[in-house]
Amino acid sequence: MSDDHLPHKTPEVLALSSALPPQTLLISSLIAALVLVVILVFVSRKKSNAQGNALLLVGPMDSGKTTIFSRLVYNQHIPTTTSLQTNASSFTPVPSKTIQIIDIPGHPRIRGQFVDHLNSAKAVAFVVDSNTVSRNGPAVAEHLHHILHALTNLPPSQAAPALAIICNKSDVLKSSSSTTSSALAINRVKTILERELEKRRVAQTGGVGVEGLGEEGETTELGGLECGSEKASFKFDDWEGGEVVFLGTSARPDESEKSGELTDDGLSSLQQWLEDLL
């Protein structure tokens, strides 16, 4: 075959290839790869933000999580019982808006299961018995500390779920003419938890650890209690992990309610919070 039939590089192609040194080609490739990575991260984050569609009910044993679950899902009252397995079901707070409610057991040995559901969480509700928190404050704060640590250590690609602290069984507290039982429960729970979490923060910043401050008395290096500077006391209003909403609730039916005709007045604040999130 003669040379006339062989393909030849045109002068323009030769000039272009000779004008781009290897370093320039390498830099161009790296920039293109970087742009591709940024696009993938953005798409992944956007997809992750849209995935969460579950409410996680977490908190200590006997705080009323399963009772709240039963009232919301089945409109039935079940007395507080110690649950050793996860309950899950759909709940529709408003028409065409459905959320999955997952009730996580509060037993210290299995409460860590909530981490397995964080990828699908739109919201986390930490349920506290406002009537017993005065004597169980250290154990409740230890449990909450695990939740705060997990939320502040989520990967950047995952949107952090909304957090509410449910001050449950507020109806047991005696209110006055100027203060409702819900407001009294919120003030009590918030004050006690801030005090106990501050003890844990001080113990850690002092290098002491927090052994003896919780239910199991273990030494832990959990984070998640940052509130600005290290010298600042722990306050939920200043928590760097985001907004924390306090809600006063009561899942126990009123004495005037008939069986099978339960009202949701005691959980109205929780339902309104969920509606606002959806």
Side-chain angles (χ1 to χ4, degrees):
M1 181 181 294
S2 64
D3 294 341
D4 295 337
H5 293 84
L6 294 175
H8 295 282
K9 292 184 180 180
T10 62
E12 292 80 3
V13 175
L14 290 172
L16 180 61
S17 60
S18 61
L20 295 176
Q23 295 86 347
T24 303
L25 292 175
L26 178 60
I27 294 175
S28 300
S29 300
L30 291 176
I31 293 176
L34 180 61
V35 171
L36 180 60
V37 170
V38 171
I39 293 175
L40 291 176
V41 170
F42 176 78
V43 172
S44 175
R45 177 176 297 182
K46 190 172 183 181
K47 180 179 180 182
S48 180
N49 289 348
Q51 285 179 345
N53 191 41
L55 166 67
L56 305 187
L57 289 176
V58 297
M61 296 183 297
D62 301 324
S63 59
K65 298 185 299 299
T66 303
T67 302
I68 291 176
F69 175 86
S70 300
R71 285 293 301 263
L72 291 177
V73 175
Y74 305 112
N75 197 29
Q76 295 180 355
H77 172 71
I78 296 179
T80 297
T81 57
T82 300
S83 178
L84 295 178
Q85 64 180 10
T86 299
N87 300 307
S89 186
S90 298
F91 172 61
T92 305
V94 292
S96 73
K97 297 289 186 179
T98 300
I99 190 171
Q100 186 84 354
I101 300 184
I102 304 175
D103 171 24
I104 310 294
H107 192 282
R109 298 297 182 185
I110 55 179
R111 67 190 183 191
Q113 292 178 358
F114 83 94
V115 177
D116 300 332
H117 301 280
L118 273 181
N119 288 335
S120 60
K122 188 178 188 67
V124 175
F126 185 81
V127 184
V128 181
D129 185 340
S130 56
N131 189 46
T132 62
V133 68
S134 297
R135 62 176 180 268
N136 298 332
V140 176
E142 177 198 3
H143 193 161
L144 178 58
H145 193 177
H146 283 269
I147 306 296
L148 300 181
H149 172 76
L151 294 180
T152 54
N153 281 274
L154 289 172
S157 60
Q158 183 176 348
L163 174 62
I165 294 181
I166 309 301
C167 309
N168 197 32
K169 305 182 184 181
S170 61
D171 57 299
V172 180
L173 304 180
K174 294 182 179 180
S175 59
S176 62
S177 57
S178 59
T179 305
T180 64
S181 58
S182 292
L184 184 61
I186 290 173
N187 181 67
R188 171 183 290 189
V189 170
K190 187 175 184 180
T191 300
I192 291 174
L193 290 183
E194 285 183 339
R195 181 187 67 206
E196 296 299 331
L197 289 173
E198 171 62 9
K199 290 180 181 179
R200 299 177 70 85
R201 188 196 67 82
V202 170
Q204 286 189 327
T205 55
V208 179
V210 290
E211 63 272 16
L213 295 181
E215 186 169 290
E216 296 186 344
E218 87 286 6
T219 301
T220 179
E221 297 300 329
L222 294 176
L225 299 182
E226 292 75 17
C227 292
S229 66
E230 292 186 0
K231 296 181 180 180
S233 299
F234 181 85
K235 298 292 182 183
F236 286 106
D237 293 339
D238 301 325
W239 183 54
E240 293 185 359
E243 181 183 11
V244 182
V245 176
F246 282 79
L247 304 173
T249 63
S250 173
R252 190 174 66 175
D254 188 85
E255 293 181 357
S256 62
E257 295 176 346
K258 297 180 180 179
S259 177
E261 299 178 359
L262 302 180
T263 65
D264 295 316
D265 292 343
L267 299 179
S268 59
S269 59
L270 174 58
Q271 292 199 63
Q272 185 61 54
W273 180 64
L274 290 176
E275 291 177 14
D276 294 340
L277 290 177
L278 296 177

